[in-house]
Amino acid sequence: MPLGPFTLVALYLTSWWIVLFMILPLGSSKQVETPPTDGSQWGAPANPQLKKKFITTTWVSAIVWVFIVLLVWQGWMPLPDFSRGPAL
């Protein structure tokens, strides 16, 4: 097996964060049209919908993770073999 459990978890967490930063700006409308009166920043989204975005991030990153794992296991994206020590 080319990927161990630690690598699989690290790969999923990395893809989760990357997908999160791609999904965060989607559907956000700034408060420029109606300036805030509660003291919040004018560039902050009026309704960030973070729960919905975290759920979307979780299933999208799971699809990305499965795609990357399949690429590695099928041999289309080979990983270097570090078990033999450094190459001289």
Side-chain angles (χ1 to χ4, degrees), residues 2-3 8 11 64-74 77:
L3 298 173
L8 290 172
L11 182 61
V64 170
W65 178 79
V66 166
F67 180 71
I68 293 171
V69 169
L70 286 176
L71 284 178
V72 171
W73 278 345
Q74 294 296 325
M77 189 170 67

Side-chain angles (χ1 to χ4, degrees), residues 5-85:
F6 180 78
T7 306
L8 290 172
V9 171
L11 182 61
Y12 179 76
L13 291 175
T14 303
S15 65
W16 193 91
W17 279 102
I18 292 171
V19 171
L20 174 67
F21 286 122
M22 290 189 306
I23 288 180
L24 274 178
L26 298 179
S28 296
S29 61
K30 296 180 182 175
Q31 299 180 29
V32 175
E33 296 84 23
T34 57
T37 57
D38 60 354
S40 64
Q41 174 68 17
W42 62 268
N47 183 11
Q49 303 173 353
L50 290 179
K51 183 177 181 180
K52 178 182 173 186
K53 290 181 181 184
F54 285 170
I55 292 171
T56 304
T57 298
T58 301
W59 68 264
V60 170
S61 62
I63 293 171
V64 170
W65 178 79
V66 166
F67 180 71
I68 293 171
V69 169
L70 286 176
L71 284 178
V72 171
W73 278 345
Q74 294 296 325
W76 293 333
M77 189 170 67
L79 298 176
D81 185 15
F82 293 116
S83 63
R84 293 182 282 179

